[in-house]
Amino acid sequence: MKKSKTPFLQFLKKHPVKLGVVLIVGLIWIFCLPKNLFNAPTSTVLKSREGMMLGARIAKDGQWRFPEQDSVPYRFEQCILNFEDEYFYSHPGFNPISITKALWGNITTKERRGGSTITQQVIRLSRKNQKRTYFEKLIEIFQATRLELREPKKEILNLYATYAPFGGNVVGLETASWRYFGIPSQDLSWGQSAALAVLPNAPSLIFPGKNELILKQKRNRLLKKLLDHSVIDPTTYELAVAEKLPSKPLALPEMAPHLTEKLRRDHPGAQLNSTIKFPLQRQLNAIAKENYDLLRQNEIHNLSILVLDIETREVRAYVGNSPTTAAHDHYVDLIQASRSTGSILKPFLYAAMLDEGTILPNTLVADVPTSVNGYSPQNFDKEFNGAVPASLALARSLNVPAVRMLRKYGLHKFYHQLEKLQQKNMENSADYYGLPIILGGAESSLWDITKAYAGMASTLNFFNTSSSEYRKNEFVNPIYELGKQPEFGAQKFSPEVFGAGAVYHTLKTIEEVNRPNGEENWSFFSDSQPISWKTGTSYGFKDAWAVGVTSKYAVGVWAGNASGEGRPGLTGLQAAAPILFEVFDKLPKAAPFQTPYDALVEAEVCKRSGHLASVFCPKTQQEWIPKNGTRTPVCPYHQPVFLDQSEQFQVNSSCYPLAEIQSENWFVLPPIMEYYYAVKHPEYQSLPPYKNGCLKDGEDLMQFIFPKKKEVILLPKNFKEETNPIIFKLAHRNPETTVYWYLDATYLTSTTTFHEISTLPEPGIHTLTVVDQEGNSLSQPIEIEINSK
């Protein structure tokens, strides 16, 4: 016996057309919603790590529309549900009772009621507020039921809170909360939440500052409803109705405008919780404002400050520019801008030479007049020291020793090191920059310079805490997005750039505050924590730098004019360093850097020359030096000297009885170094002269100070178009001797004590010759040209 078919199947069999309609309607219902309900552009929003707003940029369509938040705050949720849709969590997307009441009211009265649920309003917002008709209402209901099936209730409520209008060009709860109350939505009070909950119902009519009485009445009715439904207690109700309404939209915070703009360029329309510490950012903004007020008195209008965490490489504070005016380029982000580096690269050269084993920390380096292919560097004070320890040359930021050290180390090798340090703004070749690269001949940004100093400090920290290992990408880019991790790369036992021993000595050297003459006031900056810091000043006083590190933080400061205009007094020491120390004063104190003994070896070092001690060094000391430091030569300046019994003359076996010769170890510098060194070091003793009749085995008695070897001498003209003479200078170990000067075969003059002459030679190639009274001679070819300009 066959089973009878069900009534439904029988109906479908009898009415196939209706079946088709049902299927079509079902398919339309399933696919009636786009994948992304809203495609409207959103504002770019930057927040601190604490969730406080640092800045925002308006959406492309001119609306203040913040990106969707994670959730809707409880107070606003209760307010909007009691005002708009009490049965939100129980209906399927529409409320038949509300629709029936609204329809009956529209027919029987002149008032118009919508009866729409929050879900329906989300659909209407996504359809860009189509004209309200009964057919449009049916479409909303149709799509609302589909949305209810696709999304959870909490997400639908969040969509409403994100895209509901709140008056003018303010869209969304979070936007309205900041624009009208200046706080995040989770901090809204009951009165504030209620005021915002009633706004989307009539945003064009009820606008803060206008129709205030209507807004207040609606808010208070909603608060009374919350009281009647026991959502709030009587005390909360009384406090809420007493709250003031906003009078006008507030300006959004601009705590880090240049970082906000960077976010807008990199990730337009995104909301980012940054690594910025809000209290520190606020303090640094105040420091920037205070120092800008001081600097602009000298027509210095711009400055920038960057703070990095050494361990995490997170940006802790970002002041891209001073609070200056548009006329002085306040919009320029000077943390990212390319600027001349001045002397700020010198510690990297010092570290590179220590790491390679080219120098030891206190090796004497020459500080004498120098010319390399026509380039003649000058120290800031225009003086020469003859010879200085490499550490002191760095601490005092002497230019001539730095250039000579770079020439010794190798320009191309150093340039390769800068590439490893991620100095991205140096786009030209090493030969393009030449030796002036160490004095500011190239450009970098405060971002790249500060991260390089942070990388050095991190190299040392990591080595001391990781069983003497290094990371491949220690000089990685800083991060400003909370939750992101820098890519430090694999660990290994060899450094990618500098070894820990070289870094340690470099950072300890720049802890010193010794500076050139006239800067003794820097003893004022005594601090309870050790700070390794360096200043830099570009040519023409256009850029002032100060960068410092502790074991916890790296701070970079730049000051100057974005236009490139130089100003007297615009130096790293005077303009940038005071700001640097103010910033460090706001940061937690850090422990000193630990000594990386595994990267050092103990060696006997000559106290006076800083070289490895030779057998002739009278005073030595044990020092911890970088391991490659054992490759450096022994002290070349201490040598045995043979004297007569009176110790007034040098002698040898050809002129003096061997048994009576006295031997003594003597500190001897080359003549040109001695010439300048002896002036600043009264304790220096020149070699005694040779006794008459004694042979001198190739003794280097004299050197030309000017002219230098292979230097083309340009004769300048004065204002009367007359050619000025030039001054030749000579250094002689015995200043009491008489020196005779010759140009080619022509006798010029003689000098005693101060060996300098003024002459005006003809253009061309000549031979300059000097002969002392004992017959010792020195010759050097020179080329003379006349400046035709």
Side-chain angles (χ1 to χ4, degrees):
M1 182 176 179
K2 294 183 179 180
K3 293 182 180 180
S4 61
K5 296 180 180 178
T6 63
F8 179 69
L9 293 177
Q10 290 177 350
F11 174 80
L12 294 179
K13 185 176 180 180
K14 292 180 181 179
H15 305 281
V17 175
K18 294 181 179 179
L19 171 62
V21 171
V22 170
L23 291 174
I24 292 171
V25 171
L27 287 173
I28 293 174
W29 182 79
I30 291 173
F31 298 104
C32 67
L33 292 179
K35 182 178 180 180
N36 296 318
L37 205 58
F38 293 93
N39 292 311
T42 56
S43 302
T44 303
V45 181
L46 181 69
K47 292 186 176 181
S48 70
R49 66 189 306 115
E50 302 89 355
M52 296 298 292
M53 183 178 293
L54 297 172
R57 295 293 178 267
I58 200 165
K60 292 180 180 179
D61 61 355
Q63 301 293 304
W64 283 109
R65 184 188 298 108
F66 286 6
E68 184 176 335
Q69 305 299 302
D70 294 333
S71 61
V72 177
Y74 172 76
R75 291 189 182 97
F76 182 80
E77 179 182 355
Q78 293 302 312
C79 289
I80 198 66
L81 293 182
N82 278 273
F83 184 74
E84 289 282 1
D85 193 350
E86 290 186 65
Y87 302 99
F88 173 72
Y89 284 107
S90 58
H91 63 62
F94 66 98
N95 188 332
I97 297 176
S98 296
I99 293 175
T100 302
K101 287 181 178 179
L103 182 61
W104 177 253
N106 292 341
I107 294 173
T108 58
T109 67
K110 293 183 179 180
E111 294 184 3
R112 291 293 178 264
R113 294 180 56 185
S116 296
T117 63
I118 287 177
T119 312
Q120 287 176 260
Q121 293 184 55
V122 169
I123 294 298
R124 183 168 68 247
L125 291 170
S126 72
R127 291 173 58 78
K128 303 185 186 305
N129 290 314
Q130 297 282 339
K131 187 177 180 181
R132 296 191 180 188
T133 64
Y134 289 113
F135 181 69
E136 181 64 26
K137 184 69 69 175
L138 290 174
I139 294 175
E140 290 174 7
I141 294 173
F142 188 74
Q143 292 188 338
T145 56
R146 180 68 184 95
L147 182 60
E148 288 278 348
L149 186 67
R150 193 175 84 176
E151 303 289 350
K153 288 283 189 178
K154 289 287 187 181
E155 177 58 25
I156 295 172
L157 186 62
N158 202 11
L159 286 172
Y160 175 82
T162 301
Y163 293 98
F166 283 83
N169 64 345
V170 178
V171 178
L173 169 65
E174 188 70 13
T175 316
S177 180
W178 280 104
R179 290 288 279 159
Y180 298 145
F181 298 106
I183 57 175
S185 58
Q186 68 263 23
D187 293 341
L188 290 170
S189 66
W190 281 107
Q192 292 167 337
S193 297
L196 293 183
V198 302
L199 272 181
N201 183 259
S204 62
L205 174 65
I206 304 172
F207 187 84
K210 298 179 181 179
N211 305 307
E212 184 174 349
L213 180 60
I214 301 175
L215 175 59
K216 189 172 185 178
Q217 290 172 346
K218 280 182 169 282
R219 182 200 67 176
N220 292 348
R221 283 198 297 269
L222 173 56
L223 289 171
K224 184 63 167 62
K225 188 175 183 180
L226 293 174
L227 175 64
D228 294 342
H229 289 185
S230 299
V231 177
I232 59 176
D233 57 45
T235 302
T236 302
Y237 170 75
E238 293 296 333
L239 292 173
V241 296
E243 289 185 39
K244 292 182 178 180
L245 294 171
S247 59
K248 62 180 180 179
L250 305 174
L252 291 173
E254 279 282 60
M255 295 294 293
H258 299 88
L259 187 58
T260 305
E261 190 62 24
K262 177 176 170 58
L263 175 63
R264 185 196 65 79
R265 292 193 306 268
D266 296 345
H267 307 287
Q271 176 173 287
L272 180 75
N273 281 356
S274 72
T275 59
I276 299 293
K277 285 190 172 182
F278 188 84
L280 180 62
Q281 182 71 29
R282 182 168 52 195
Q283 289 175 321
L284 264 58
N285 285 346
I287 289 175
K289 173 66 168 63
E290 179 183 346
N291 282 275
Y292 162 68
D293 290 339
L294 293 173
L295 291 172
R296 67 175 176 174
Q297 296 176 27
N298 189 25
E299 297 184 20
I300 301 169
H301 298 284
N302 306 100
L303 63 89
S304 54
I305 309 170
L306 177 65
V307 179
L308 303 179
D309 184 286
I310 297 293
E311 181 180 355
T312 64
R313 219 56 53 87
E314 292 179 343
V315 178
R316 289 286 185 252
Y318 193 107
V319 180
N321 206 331
S322 57
T324 186
T325 61
H328 297 292
D329 305 309
H330 69 86
Y331 51 84
V332 176
D333 185 353
L334 289 163
I335 289 178
Q336 304 295 333
S338 292
R339 308 297 304 194
S340 173
T341 55
S343 297
I344 211 70
L345 302 180
K346 288 177 181 175
F348 304 139
L349 175 61
Y350 183 75
M353 297 184 76
L354 287 175
D355 194 51
E356 185 185 58
T358 308
I359 60 170
L360 295 184
N362 298 304
T363 296
L364 282 180
V365 293
D367 182 17
V368 296
T370 301
S371 178
V372 182
N373 298 326
Y375 172 59
S376 299
Q378 294 287 326
N379 293 324
F380 187 81
D381 59 7
K382 307 297 184 184
E383 296 184 2
F384 299 99
N385 298 276
V388 290
S391 58
L392 186 60
L394 175 61
R396 294 180 57 188
S397 199
L398 298 177
N399 293 335
V400 175
V403 171
R404 296 179 69 95
M405 289 167 68
L406 178 56
R407 182 173 60 172
K408 181 177 182 180
Y409 179 73
L411 172 62
H412 289 85
K413 277 198 303 183
F414 182 62
Y415 185 80
H416 183 56
Q417 296 287 49
L418 293 177
E419 289 180 323
K420 289 183 178 180
L421 294 175
Q422 304 293 318
Q423 300 302 299
K424 299 185 296 294
N425 291 25
M426 297 181 186
E427 300 175 347
N428 297 300
S429 67
D431 291 327
Y432 174 86
Y433 297 117
L435 295 177
I437 193 174
I438 198 63
L439 305 182
E443 292 187 334
S444 190
S445 64
L446 188 64
W447 178 267
D448 286 341
I449 291 294
T450 308
K451 81 177 180 186
Y453 277 77
M456 285 210 300
S458 181
T459 295
L460 187 55
N461 288 346
F462 190 76
F463 183 87
N464 282 322
T465 58
S466 65
S467 303
S468 304
E469 289 187 314
Y470 299 92
R471 295 185 286 204
K472 180 176 176 60
N473 301 326
E474 194 62 77
F475 295 87
V476 68
N477 241 352
I479 57 174
Y480 64 95
E481 182 176 348
L482 190 63
K484 270 200 170 183
Q485 300 295 325
E487 297 292 336
F488 287 118
Q491 295 179 206
K492 55 182 187 174
F493 287 102
S494 60
E496 187 73 12
V497 188
F498 307 131
V503 169
Y504 173 76
H505 276 288
T506 301
L507 296 182
K508 294 301 289 184
T509 293
I510 58 177
E511 274 185 22
E512 301 296 327
V513 295
N514 297 324
R515 288 297 185 262
N517 293 334
E519 297 168 0
E520 293 83 0
N521 60 312
W522 274 93
S523 59
F524 171 80
F525 287 107
S526 59
D527 199 282
S528 58
Q529 67 172 335
I531 300 173
S532 300
W533 60 290
K534 181 73 182 73
T535 60
T537 305
S538 68
Y539 180 77
F541 303 102
K542 297 179 180 180
D543 304 274
W545 300 77
V547 182
V549 292
T550 64
S551 59
K552 290 179 66 69
Y553 296 102
V555 177
V557 176
W558 178 92
N561 287 309
S563 63
E565 179 187 357
R567 294 295 304 166
L570 180 54
T571 67
L573 200 62
Q574 294 177 334
I579 302 173
L580 179 84
F581 281 88
E582 280 191 71
V583 174
F584 270 116
D585 190 50
K586 303 299 181 184
L587 296 172
K589 300 295 185 284
F593 289 107
Q594 298 180 30
T595 305
Y597 289 107
D598 288 347
L600 302 170
V601 293
E602 197 170 16
E604 188 177 12
V605 176
C606 178
K607 289 187 69 172
R608 191 159 190 182
S609 73
H611 282 268
L612 293 176
S614 72
V615 294
F616 306 115
C617 292
K619 295 183 180 179
T620 64
Q621 61 188 16
Q622 294 295 119
E623 291 184 5
W624 289 94
I625 63 173
K627 288 185 175 180
N628 287 339
T630 56
R631 302 175 183 176
T632 60
V634 297
C635 175
Y637 300 119
H638 281 96
Q639 62 187 49
V641 176
F642 302 104
L643 306 173
D644 63 1
Q645 286 191 326
S646 68
E647 297 186 353
Q648 295 181 357
F649 297 98
Q650 293 187 67
V651 295
N652 53 46
S653 59
S654 68
C655 65
Y656 203 77
L658 189 61
E660 298 180 11
I661 292 178
Q662 307 293 319
S663 177
E664 186 173 338
N665 294 330
W666 207 282
F667 180 66
V668 183
L669 293 173
I672 191 169
M673 292 171 65
E674 179 184 271
Y675 178 82
Y676 292 99
Y677 185 85
V679 174
K680 295 180 178 291
H681 296 269
E683 75 283 2
Y684 180 80
Q685 293 181 325
S686 299
L687 277 173
Y690 274 92
K691 195 174 183 66
N692 290 335
C694 290
L695 298 176
K696 310 175 191 60
D697 299 328
E699 173 71 7
D700 190 8
L701 292 173
M702 48 189 170
Q703 281 182 291
F704 284 113
I705 300 174
F706 183 82
K708 306 174 187 71
K709 287 184 179 180
K710 299 180 181 179
E711 180 178 14
V712 177
I713 301 172
L714 194 64
L715 297 179
K717 291 185 177 181
N718 59 26
F719 291 111
K720 297 180 180 179
E721 291 297 313
E722 298 172 341
T723 303
N724 290 329
I726 56 176
I727 297 176
F728 294 140
K729 290 185 178 183
L730 178 78
H732 198 289
R733 288 200 184 279
N734 182 9
E736 302 303 323
T737 191
T738 299
V739 173
Y740 303 92
W741 297 76
Y742 298 85
L743 189 64
D744 298 325
T746 304
Y747 171 75
L748 298 178
T749 187
S750 64
T751 57
T752 304
T753 306
F754 299 105
H755 302 297
E756 300 179 3
I757 68 168
S758 176
T759 185
L760 185 59
E762 294 292 327
I765 298 176
H766 304 275
T767 300
L768 180 64
T769 304
V770 289
V771 181
D772 67 12
Q773 66 186 33
E774 297 182 1
N776 302 297
S777 65
L778 179 67
S779 295
Q780 182 169 303
I782 60 173
E783 183 176 353
I784 305 295
E785 292 183 358
I786 294 180
N787 188 356
S788 58
K789 295 183 180 180

